[in-house]
Amino acid sequence: DALGFAGGTWRLTIAEGRASVTTAETDQVDVALDVATLSALYLGGVSAAQLRAAGRLDAAAQVAASIDDAFRDAQAPVLGIWY
């Protein structure tokens, strides 16, 4: 991000349905993405595999599939207000 709030290397761990984020102690990563791509995953409507194919997510196919499993929701995102 332009202000540097999301800069750095982070480790996201998901266990038993709970997530935790810590500062990574190494520069070796399983996936590289920017905050806009993470936001797209979090909001839903686009998969990690699609983002990988578009060049927005740098990860092996198996890692992208695991990310999809972690972020998948049964309900698609909906904007509940009218403009």
Side-chain angles (χ1 to χ4, degrees), residues 33-56:
L33 67 160
D34 61 14
V35 71
T37 304
L38 178 60
S39 298
L41 284 168
Y42 182 74
L43 291 174
V46 64
S47 70
Q50 291 169 316
L51 291 165
R52 180 178 179 265
R56 300 288 309 271

Side-chain angles (χ1 to χ4, degrees), residues 62-78:
Q62 182 178 355
V63 172
S66 294
I67 293 169
D68 281 336
D69 290 342
F71 282 89
R72 183 176 296 116
D73 194 350
Q75 186 174 11
V78 175

